[in-house]
Short mmCIF file of all heavy atoms in Angstrom, two decimals:
data_model
loop_
_atom_site.label_atom_id
_atom_site.label_comp_id
_atom_site.label_asym_id
_atom_site.label_seq_id
_atom_site.Cartn_x
_atom_site.Cartn_y
_atom_site.Cartn_z
N MET A 1 0.84 -1.19 0.00
CA MET A 1 0.00 0.00 0.00
C MET A 1 0.88 1.24 0.00
O MET A 1 1.74 1.42 0.85
CB MET A 1 -0.89 -0.02 1.25
CG MET A 1 -1.94 1.08 1.22
SD MET A 1 -3.13 0.83 2.53
CE MET A 1 -4.11 2.31 2.28
N VAL A 2 0.63 2.05 -0.99
CA VAL A 2 1.48 3.23 -1.14
C VAL A 2 0.68 4.48 -0.87
O VAL A 2 -0.40 4.68 -1.43
CB VAL A 2 2.08 3.30 -2.57
CG1 VAL A 2 2.94 4.55 -2.72
CG2 VAL A 2 2.89 2.05 -2.87
N ASN A 3 1.18 5.27 -0.04
CA ASN A 3 0.55 6.55 0.23
C ASN A 3 1.04 7.58 -0.77
O ASN A 3 2.15 8.06 -0.70
CB ASN A 3 0.89 6.99 1.66
CG ASN A 3 0.13 8.27 2.01
OD1 ASN A 3 -0.73 8.72 1.26
ND2 ASN A 3 0.47 8.84 3.15
N GLU A 4 0.19 7.88 -1.75
CA GLU A 4 0.63 8.76 -2.82
C GLU A 4 0.57 10.22 -2.43
O GLU A 4 1.24 11.05 -3.00
CB GLU A 4 -0.24 8.53 -4.06
CG GLU A 4 -0.04 7.14 -4.65
CD GLU A 4 -0.88 7.00 -5.91
OE1 GLU A 4 -1.13 8.01 -6.56
OE2 GLU A 4 -1.28 5.88 -6.22
N ARG A 5 -0.29 10.49 -1.49
CA ARG A 5 -0.47 11.89 -1.13
C ARG A 5 0.44 12.28 0.02
O ARG A 5 0.24 11.84 1.14
CB ARG A 5 -1.92 12.15 -0.76
CG ARG A 5 -2.84 11.98 -1.95
CD ARG A 5 -4.25 12.37 -1.60
NE ARG A 5 -5.16 12.12 -2.75
CZ ARG A 5 -6.47 12.32 -2.68
NH1 ARG A 5 -7.01 12.73 -1.56
NH2 ARG A 5 -7.22 12.10 -3.73
N THR A 6 1.40 13.04 -0.29
CA THR A 6 2.30 13.53 0.74
C THR A 6 1.91 14.97 1.07
O THR A 6 1.91 15.83 0.19
CB THR A 6 3.76 13.51 0.27
OG1 THR A 6 4.08 12.18 -0.12
CG2 THR A 6 4.70 13.96 1.38
N PRO A 7 1.52 15.19 2.28
CA PRO A 7 1.13 16.56 2.63
C PRO A 7 2.28 17.53 2.49
O PRO A 7 3.39 17.28 2.96
CB PRO A 7 0.68 16.42 4.10
CG PRO A 7 1.36 15.19 4.58
CD PRO A 7 1.48 14.27 3.38
N GLU A 8 2.02 18.63 1.82
CA GLU A 8 3.08 19.63 1.65
C GLU A 8 2.85 20.79 2.59
O GLU A 8 1.91 21.55 2.43
CB GLU A 8 3.07 20.14 0.21
CG GLU A 8 3.79 19.21 -0.74
CD GLU A 8 4.07 19.89 -2.07
OE1 GLU A 8 4.56 21.02 -2.05
OE2 GLU A 8 3.79 19.30 -3.10
N PRO A 9 3.69 20.91 3.55
CA PRO A 9 3.57 22.04 4.48
C PRO A 9 4.03 23.34 3.82
O PRO A 9 5.19 23.71 3.90
CB PRO A 9 4.47 21.63 5.66
CG PRO A 9 5.47 20.70 5.04
CD PRO A 9 4.79 20.04 3.86
N SER A 10 3.10 23.99 3.15
CA SER A 10 3.49 25.18 2.39
C SER A 10 3.96 26.30 3.31
O SER A 10 4.79 27.10 2.95
CB SER A 10 2.32 25.65 1.55
OG SER A 10 1.20 25.87 2.37
N GLY A 11 3.43 26.33 4.51
CA GLY A 11 3.80 27.40 5.42
C GLY A 11 4.87 26.97 6.40
O GLY A 11 5.14 27.68 7.36
N SER A 12 5.46 25.84 6.13
CA SER A 12 6.45 25.33 7.08
C SER A 12 7.71 26.18 7.07
O SER A 12 8.15 26.65 6.02
CB SER A 12 6.80 23.89 6.73
OG SER A 12 7.76 23.40 7.62
N ARG A 13 8.28 26.35 8.20
CA ARG A 13 9.50 27.14 8.27
C ARG A 13 10.70 26.36 7.75
O ARG A 13 11.52 26.87 7.03
CB ARG A 13 9.79 27.55 9.72
CG ARG A 13 8.81 28.57 10.26
CD ARG A 13 9.02 28.73 11.74
NE ARG A 13 8.71 27.48 12.45
CZ ARG A 13 9.13 27.19 13.66
NH1 ARG A 13 9.89 28.02 14.30
NH2 ARG A 13 8.81 26.07 14.24
N THR A 14 10.74 25.11 8.13
CA THR A 14 11.89 24.30 7.74
C THR A 14 11.48 23.31 6.66
O THR A 14 10.57 22.52 6.83
CB THR A 14 12.45 23.54 8.95
OG1 THR A 14 11.41 22.77 9.52
CG2 THR A 14 13.02 24.49 9.98
N ARG A 15 12.15 23.39 5.55
CA ARG A 15 11.95 22.41 4.49
C ARG A 15 13.30 21.82 4.15
O ARG A 15 14.32 22.48 4.30
CB ARG A 15 11.36 23.07 3.26
CG ARG A 15 9.98 23.63 3.51
CD ARG A 15 9.32 23.97 2.20
NE ARG A 15 9.08 22.78 1.39
CZ ARG A 15 8.50 22.82 0.20
NH1 ARG A 15 8.14 23.95 -0.31
NH2 ARG A 15 8.30 21.72 -0.49
N SER A 16 13.25 20.61 3.69
CA SER A 16 14.50 19.96 3.32
C SER A 16 15.12 20.70 2.15
O SER A 16 14.43 21.14 1.24
CB SER A 16 14.25 18.50 2.96
OG SER A 16 13.36 18.43 1.88
N VAL A 17 16.40 20.83 2.19
CA VAL A 17 17.10 21.54 1.13
C VAL A 17 18.01 20.56 0.40
O VAL A 17 18.49 19.59 0.97
CB VAL A 17 17.92 22.71 1.69
CG1 VAL A 17 17.00 23.80 2.22
CG2 VAL A 17 18.86 22.24 2.77
N VAL A 18 18.23 20.83 -0.85
CA VAL A 18 19.08 19.98 -1.67
C VAL A 18 20.17 20.84 -2.28
O VAL A 18 19.91 21.90 -2.83
CB VAL A 18 18.27 19.31 -2.79
CG1 VAL A 18 19.17 18.42 -3.64
CG2 VAL A 18 17.11 18.52 -2.21
N CYS A 19 21.37 20.35 -2.17
CA CYS A 19 22.48 21.06 -2.78
C CYS A 19 22.31 21.04 -4.29
O CYS A 19 22.11 19.99 -4.89
CB CYS A 19 23.80 20.41 -2.38
SG CYS A 19 25.23 21.14 -3.20
N SER A 20 22.39 22.22 -4.88
CA SER A 20 22.17 22.31 -6.33
C SER A 20 23.34 21.77 -7.12
O SER A 20 23.27 21.66 -8.34
CB SER A 20 21.91 23.77 -6.70
OG SER A 20 20.78 24.25 -6.03
N ARG A 21 24.40 21.47 -6.45
CA ARG A 21 25.60 21.06 -7.17
C ARG A 21 25.84 19.55 -7.05
O ARG A 21 25.99 18.86 -8.04
CB ARG A 21 26.81 21.83 -6.62
CG ARG A 21 27.98 21.86 -7.56
CD ARG A 21 28.82 23.10 -7.28
NE ARG A 21 29.98 23.15 -8.15
CZ ARG A 21 31.20 22.74 -7.78
NH1 ARG A 21 31.39 22.25 -6.57
NH2 ARG A 21 32.21 22.83 -8.60
N CYS A 22 25.86 19.04 -5.82
CA CYS A 22 26.17 17.62 -5.66
C CYS A 22 24.95 16.81 -5.22
O CYS A 22 25.00 15.60 -5.20
CB CYS A 22 27.30 17.45 -4.64
SG CYS A 22 26.81 17.76 -2.95
N GLY A 23 23.85 17.50 -4.91
CA GLY A 23 22.64 16.78 -4.59
C GLY A 23 22.54 16.34 -3.14
O GLY A 23 21.66 15.57 -2.79
N ALA A 24 23.43 16.82 -2.30
CA ALA A 24 23.36 16.49 -0.88
C ALA A 24 22.09 17.10 -0.28
O ALA A 24 21.64 18.16 -0.72
CB ALA A 24 24.59 17.01 -0.16
N THR A 25 21.53 16.40 0.68
CA THR A 25 20.29 16.89 1.27
C THR A 25 20.47 17.14 2.75
O THR A 25 21.33 16.56 3.41
CB THR A 25 19.16 15.87 1.07
OG1 THR A 25 19.55 14.63 1.66
CG2 THR A 25 18.86 15.67 -0.39
N ALA A 26 19.63 18.03 3.26
CA ALA A 26 19.63 18.31 4.69
C ALA A 26 18.19 18.62 5.09
O ALA A 26 17.41 19.13 4.30
CB ALA A 26 20.54 19.49 5.01
N ASP A 27 17.85 18.27 6.30
CA ASP A 27 16.48 18.48 6.77
C ASP A 27 16.14 19.96 6.85
O ASP A 27 15.06 20.38 6.52
CB ASP A 27 16.30 17.84 8.14
CG ASP A 27 16.32 16.31 8.03
OD1 ASP A 27 16.04 15.82 6.93
OD2 ASP A 27 16.62 15.65 9.02
N SER A 28 17.11 20.72 7.29
CA SER A 28 16.91 22.16 7.32
C SER A 28 18.20 22.81 6.85
O SER A 28 19.23 22.15 6.78
CB SER A 28 16.54 22.64 8.72
OG SER A 28 17.58 22.32 9.61
N LEU A 29 18.11 24.06 6.53
CA LEU A 29 19.28 24.73 5.98
C LEU A 29 20.37 24.91 7.04
O LEU A 29 20.20 25.68 7.97
CB LEU A 29 18.87 26.09 5.42
CG LEU A 29 19.99 26.86 4.72
CD1 LEU A 29 20.46 26.10 3.49
CD2 LEU A 29 19.51 28.24 4.35
N PRO A 30 21.46 24.17 6.90
CA PRO A 30 22.55 24.32 7.87
C PRO A 30 23.23 25.68 7.72
O PRO A 30 23.19 26.28 6.63
CB PRO A 30 23.52 23.20 7.48
CG PRO A 30 22.74 22.28 6.60
CD PRO A 30 21.73 23.14 5.92
N LEU A 31 23.83 26.13 8.78
CA LEU A 31 24.48 27.43 8.76
C LEU A 31 25.64 27.44 7.78
O LEU A 31 26.01 28.49 7.25
CB LEU A 31 24.99 27.80 10.16
CG LEU A 31 23.88 28.05 11.19
CD1 LEU A 31 24.50 28.29 12.56
CD2 LEU A 31 23.01 29.23 10.78
N THR A 32 26.20 26.27 7.56
CA THR A 32 27.37 26.21 6.69
C THR A 32 26.99 26.23 5.22
O THR A 32 27.85 26.40 4.36
CB THR A 32 28.17 24.92 6.98
OG1 THR A 32 27.27 23.82 6.94
CG2 THR A 32 28.81 25.00 8.35
N TRP A 33 25.71 26.05 4.95
CA TRP A 33 25.28 26.05 3.56
C TRP A 33 25.13 27.48 3.06
O TRP A 33 24.92 28.41 3.83
CB TRP A 33 23.96 25.30 3.40
CG TRP A 33 24.13 23.80 3.43
CD1 TRP A 33 24.95 23.10 4.24
CD2 TRP A 33 23.44 22.86 2.62
NE1 TRP A 33 24.82 21.76 3.99
CE2 TRP A 33 23.89 21.59 3.00
CE3 TRP A 33 22.48 22.97 1.62
CZ2 TRP A 33 23.42 20.42 2.40
CZ3 TRP A 33 22.00 21.81 1.03
CH2 TRP A 33 22.47 20.55 1.42
N THR A 34 25.19 27.60 1.75
CA THR A 34 25.08 28.91 1.13
C THR A 34 23.82 28.95 0.29
O THR A 34 23.52 28.02 -0.44
CB THR A 34 26.30 29.20 0.24
OG1 THR A 34 27.46 29.21 1.06
CG2 THR A 34 26.16 30.53 -0.46
N CYS A 35 23.09 30.05 0.41
CA CYS A 35 21.91 30.23 -0.41
C CYS A 35 22.21 31.28 -1.47
O CYS A 35 22.70 32.36 -1.16
CB CYS A 35 20.73 30.67 0.45
SG CYS A 35 19.25 31.01 -0.53
N SER A 36 21.95 30.92 -2.70
CA SER A 36 22.21 31.84 -3.79
C SER A 36 20.96 31.96 -4.65
O SER A 36 20.30 30.98 -4.94
CB SER A 36 23.38 31.33 -4.63
OG SER A 36 23.50 32.10 -5.82
N VAL A 37 20.64 33.18 -5.03
CA VAL A 37 19.48 33.37 -5.89
C VAL A 37 19.96 33.71 -7.29
O VAL A 37 20.63 34.71 -7.50
CB VAL A 37 18.58 34.51 -5.36
CG1 VAL A 37 17.40 34.73 -6.31
CG2 VAL A 37 18.09 34.19 -3.96
N GLU A 38 19.65 32.80 -8.20
CA GLU A 38 20.06 33.01 -9.58
C GLU A 38 18.86 32.94 -10.49
O GLU A 38 18.12 31.97 -10.49
CB GLU A 38 21.09 31.94 -9.98
CG GLU A 38 22.35 32.01 -9.14
CD GLU A 38 23.35 30.95 -9.56
OE1 GLU A 38 23.15 30.35 -10.62
OE2 GLU A 38 24.31 30.73 -8.82
N ASN A 39 18.65 33.98 -11.26
CA ASN A 39 17.51 34.04 -12.18
C ASN A 39 16.19 33.83 -11.44
O ASN A 39 15.29 33.18 -11.95
CB ASN A 39 17.66 32.99 -13.29
CG ASN A 39 18.92 33.20 -14.11
OD1 ASN A 39 19.33 34.34 -14.36
ND2 ASN A 39 19.56 32.14 -14.50
N GLY A 40 16.10 34.34 -10.24
CA GLY A 40 14.87 34.24 -9.48
C GLY A 40 14.68 32.90 -8.81
O GLY A 40 13.70 32.70 -8.11
N THR A 41 15.60 31.99 -8.99
CA THR A 41 15.50 30.68 -8.37
C THR A 41 16.47 30.59 -7.21
O THR A 41 17.64 30.95 -7.34
CB THR A 41 15.82 29.57 -9.38
OG1 THR A 41 14.94 29.70 -10.49
CG2 THR A 41 15.63 28.20 -8.74
N ARG A 42 15.97 30.12 -6.09
CA ARG A 42 16.82 30.01 -4.92
C ARG A 42 17.58 28.70 -4.96
O ARG A 42 16.99 27.63 -5.03
CB ARG A 42 15.97 30.09 -3.66
CG ARG A 42 16.79 30.30 -2.42
CD ARG A 42 15.93 30.61 -1.25
NE ARG A 42 15.32 31.94 -1.37
CZ ARG A 42 14.69 32.55 -0.39
NH1 ARG A 42 14.57 31.97 0.76
NH2 ARG A 42 14.17 33.74 -0.56
N LEU A 43 18.88 28.81 -4.92
CA LEU A 43 19.72 27.62 -4.98
C LEU A 43 20.48 27.49 -3.67
O LEU A 43 20.88 28.47 -3.07
CB LEU A 43 20.72 27.74 -6.14
CG LEU A 43 20.09 27.90 -7.53
CD1 LEU A 43 21.18 28.10 -8.56
CD2 LEU A 43 19.22 26.71 -7.89
N TYR A 44 20.69 26.25 -3.28
CA TYR A 44 21.44 25.98 -2.07
C TYR A 44 22.70 25.20 -2.40
O TYR A 44 22.70 24.36 -3.28
CB TYR A 44 20.59 25.18 -1.08
CG TYR A 44 19.36 25.92 -0.64
CD1 TYR A 44 18.12 25.61 -1.17
CD2 TYR A 44 19.46 26.93 0.31
CE1 TYR A 44 16.99 26.29 -0.76
CE2 TYR A 44 18.33 27.61 0.73
CZ TYR A 44 17.10 27.29 0.19
OH TYR A 44 15.99 27.96 0.59
N PHE A 45 23.74 25.51 -1.69
CA PHE A 45 24.99 24.80 -1.88
C PHE A 45 25.51 24.35 -0.54
O PHE A 45 25.54 25.12 0.42
CB PHE A 45 26.02 25.70 -2.57
CG PHE A 45 25.59 26.12 -3.96
CD1 PHE A 45 24.99 27.34 -4.16
CD2 PHE A 45 25.78 25.28 -5.03
CE1 PHE A 45 24.58 27.74 -5.42
CE2 PHE A 45 25.37 25.65 -6.30
CZ PHE A 45 24.77 26.89 -6.50
N CYS A 46 25.92 23.10 -0.47
CA CYS A 46 26.43 22.57 0.77
C CYS A 46 27.79 23.18 1.08
O CYS A 46 28.36 23.93 0.27
CB CYS A 46 26.52 21.04 0.71
SG CYS A 46 27.83 20.43 -0.36
N GLU A 47 28.30 22.84 2.22
CA GLU A 47 29.54 23.47 2.67
C GLU A 47 30.66 23.28 1.67
O GLU A 47 31.38 24.22 1.33
CB GLU A 47 29.92 22.87 4.02
CG GLU A 47 31.13 23.55 4.64
CD GLU A 47 31.43 22.95 5.99
OE1 GLU A 47 30.75 21.99 6.40
OE2 GLU A 47 32.37 23.43 6.64
N ASN A 48 30.81 22.06 1.20
CA ASN A 48 31.90 21.78 0.27
C ASN A 48 31.72 22.50 -1.05
O ASN A 48 32.65 23.10 -1.58
CB ASN A 48 31.99 20.27 0.03
CG ASN A 48 32.44 19.54 1.27
OD1 ASN A 48 33.16 20.10 2.10
ND2 ASN A 48 32.01 18.30 1.42
N CYS A 49 30.50 22.44 -1.57
CA CYS A 49 30.25 23.05 -2.87
C CYS A 49 30.28 24.56 -2.78
O CYS A 49 30.66 25.24 -3.73
CB CYS A 49 28.91 22.58 -3.43
SG CYS A 49 28.89 20.82 -3.80
N ALA A 50 29.87 25.08 -1.64
CA ALA A 50 29.85 26.53 -1.48
C ALA A 50 31.24 27.11 -1.61
O ALA A 50 31.43 28.18 -2.20
CB ALA A 50 29.24 26.90 -0.12
N ARG A 51 32.19 26.37 -1.09
CA ARG A 51 33.57 26.87 -1.17
C ARG A 51 34.00 27.02 -2.62
O ARG A 51 34.63 28.01 -3.00
CB ARG A 51 34.51 25.90 -0.47
CG ARG A 51 34.50 26.07 1.03
CD ARG A 51 35.56 25.19 1.67
NE ARG A 51 35.26 24.92 3.07
CZ ARG A 51 35.55 23.79 3.68
NH1 ARG A 51 36.11 22.80 3.01
NH2 ARG A 51 35.28 23.63 4.95
N ASP A 52 33.65 26.02 -3.41
CA ASP A 52 34.05 26.09 -4.82
C ASP A 52 33.18 27.06 -5.59
O ASP A 52 33.62 27.72 -6.51
CB ASP A 52 33.94 24.70 -5.45
CG ASP A 52 34.94 23.74 -4.85
OD1 ASP A 52 35.95 24.21 -4.32
OD2 ASP A 52 34.68 22.53 -4.89
N HIS A 53 31.91 27.11 -5.17
CA HIS A 53 30.95 27.88 -5.97
C HIS A 53 30.98 29.36 -5.62
O HIS A 53 30.58 30.20 -6.42
CB HIS A 53 29.54 27.33 -5.74
CG HIS A 53 28.55 27.82 -6.75
ND1 HIS A 53 28.60 27.44 -8.07
CD2 HIS A 53 27.50 28.67 -6.63
CE1 HIS A 53 27.61 28.04 -8.72
NE2 HIS A 53 26.92 28.78 -7.87
N ILE A 54 31.41 29.67 -4.42
CA ILE A 54 31.35 31.07 -3.97
C ILE A 54 32.14 31.98 -4.89
O ILE A 54 31.75 33.11 -5.15
CB ILE A 54 31.85 31.19 -2.51
CG1 ILE A 54 31.48 32.57 -1.95
CG2 ILE A 54 33.34 30.93 -2.41
CD1 ILE A 54 29.99 32.74 -1.71
N ARG A 55 33.20 31.45 -5.43
CA ARG A 55 34.00 32.29 -6.34
C ARG A 55 33.23 32.58 -7.62
O ARG A 55 33.20 33.70 -8.11
CB ARG A 55 35.29 31.57 -6.68
CG ARG A 55 36.21 31.46 -5.48
CD ARG A 55 37.42 30.61 -5.83
NE ARG A 55 38.01 29.99 -4.65
CZ ARG A 55 38.70 28.86 -4.69
NH1 ARG A 55 38.87 28.24 -5.84
NH2 ARG A 55 39.21 28.36 -3.61
N SER A 56 32.59 31.56 -8.15
CA SER A 56 31.82 31.80 -9.38
C SER A 56 30.60 32.65 -9.09
O SER A 56 30.15 33.42 -9.94
CB SER A 56 31.41 30.47 -10.02
OG SER A 56 31.08 29.53 -9.05
N ILE A 57 30.05 32.51 -7.88
CA ILE A 57 28.93 33.36 -7.51
C ILE A 57 29.38 34.82 -7.52
O ILE A 57 28.75 35.68 -8.12
CB ILE A 57 28.40 32.99 -6.10
CG1 ILE A 57 27.70 31.65 -6.15
CG2 ILE A 57 27.44 34.06 -5.61
CD1 ILE A 57 27.25 31.17 -4.78
N GLU A 58 30.48 35.05 -6.88
CA GLU A 58 30.95 36.43 -6.78
C GLU A 58 31.35 36.98 -8.14
O GLU A 58 31.04 38.11 -8.49
CB GLU A 58 32.13 36.49 -5.81
CG GLU A 58 31.68 36.25 -4.38
CD GLU A 58 32.86 36.15 -3.44
OE1 GLU A 58 33.99 36.03 -3.94
OE2 GLU A 58 32.63 36.18 -2.23
N SER A 59 32.05 36.18 -8.90
CA SER A 59 32.48 36.65 -10.21
C SER A 59 31.27 36.84 -11.12
O SER A 59 31.22 37.77 -11.92
CB SER A 59 33.47 35.68 -10.84
OG SER A 59 32.87 34.40 -10.96
N ARG A 60 30.30 35.96 -10.97
CA ARG A 60 29.13 36.08 -11.81
C ARG A 60 28.33 37.33 -11.43
O ARG A 60 27.79 38.02 -12.28
CB ARG A 60 28.24 34.84 -11.65
CG ARG A 60 27.17 34.74 -12.71
CD ARG A 60 26.33 33.50 -12.56
NE ARG A 60 27.11 32.28 -12.68
CZ ARG A 60 26.62 31.06 -12.54
NH1 ARG A 60 25.36 30.91 -12.25
NH2 ARG A 60 27.37 29.99 -12.67
N LEU A 61 28.28 37.58 -10.16
CA LEU A 61 27.60 38.79 -9.73
C LEU A 61 28.27 40.02 -10.30
O LEU A 61 27.62 40.94 -10.77
CB LEU A 61 27.60 38.89 -8.19
CG LEU A 61 26.45 38.19 -7.49
CD1 LEU A 61 26.58 38.36 -5.98
CD2 LEU A 61 25.12 38.77 -7.95
N ASP A 62 29.57 40.00 -10.28
CA ASP A 62 30.31 41.14 -10.79
C ASP A 62 29.99 41.40 -12.25
O ASP A 62 29.76 42.52 -12.67
CB ASP A 62 31.83 40.91 -10.64
CG ASP A 62 32.26 41.20 -9.22
OD1 ASP A 62 31.46 41.79 -8.48
OD2 ASP A 62 33.36 40.82 -8.85
N SER A 63 29.96 40.32 -13.02
CA SER A 63 29.75 40.49 -14.46
C SER A 63 28.28 40.70 -14.80
O SER A 63 27.95 41.41 -15.74
CB SER A 63 30.29 39.28 -15.20
OG SER A 63 29.66 38.11 -14.72
N ALA A 64 27.41 40.08 -14.02
CA ALA A 64 26.00 40.14 -14.38
C ALA A 64 25.32 41.36 -13.77
O ALA A 64 24.26 41.77 -14.22
CB ALA A 64 25.29 38.87 -13.89
N TRP A 65 25.91 41.89 -12.75
CA TRP A 65 25.26 42.99 -12.04
C TRP A 65 25.22 44.25 -12.91
O TRP A 65 24.27 45.01 -12.89
CB TRP A 65 26.01 43.23 -10.73
CG TRP A 65 25.21 44.07 -9.78
CD1 TRP A 65 25.39 45.39 -9.48
CD2 TRP A 65 24.08 43.64 -8.98
NE1 TRP A 65 24.48 45.78 -8.55
CE2 TRP A 65 23.65 44.75 -8.24
CE3 TRP A 65 23.43 42.41 -8.85
CZ2 TRP A 65 22.57 44.68 -7.36
CZ3 TRP A 65 22.35 42.34 -7.97
CH2 TRP A 65 21.94 43.46 -7.24
N TRP A 66 26.24 44.48 -13.65
CA TRP A 66 26.33 45.73 -14.42
C TRP A 66 25.93 45.54 -15.87
O TRP A 66 26.24 44.56 -16.46
CB TRP A 66 27.74 46.30 -14.34
CG TRP A 66 28.11 46.55 -12.92
CD1 TRP A 66 28.96 45.84 -12.15
CD2 TRP A 66 27.60 47.61 -12.07
NE1 TRP A 66 29.01 46.39 -10.89
CE2 TRP A 66 28.22 47.45 -10.81
CE3 TRP A 66 26.69 48.65 -12.27
CZ2 TRP A 66 27.94 48.32 -9.76
CZ3 TRP A 66 26.42 49.51 -11.22
CH2 TRP A 66 27.04 49.35 -9.99
ZN1 ZN B 1 27.11 20.06 -2.52
#
């Protein structure tokens, strides 16, 4: 028996987050994770990926901002 209907807590404060780079998941957004908004989409990066991605985030902001 499969429960197909999973209740979605739309107003929930904590939702599971998925790293947009390596696919790592966390129940709630850890402090070490980085949240980046690109093209109106909120992306999350885990600690490891954030280190690598932060440079491209910053450089991309520099080039895309102006
Ligand atoms: Zn990651």
Side-chain angles (χ1 to χ4, degrees):
M1 189 169 176
V2 179
N3 185 8
E4 294 183 28
R5 294 185 183 177
T6 303
E8 279 194 47
S10 56
S12 179
R13 289 170 296 160
T14 56
R15 297 193 64 180
S16 60
V17 292
V18 180
C19 175
S20 299
R21 200 154 179 262
C22 73
T25 58
D27 289 338
S28 60
L29 184 63
L31 293 176
T32 51
W33 283 40
T34 298
C35 177
S36 170
V37 178
E38 298 180 12
N39 300 324
T41 303
R42 193 170 290 192
L43 301 176
Y44 298 102
F45 297 97
C46 72
E47 185 178 3
N48 292 332
C49 294
R51 280 186 202 146
D52 294 336
H53 194 69
I54 193 71
R55 292 174 205 153
S56 37
I57 289 175
E58 290 174 347
S59 58
R60 193 178 299 178
L61 272 180
D62 280 347
S63 57
W65 195 256
W66 301 106

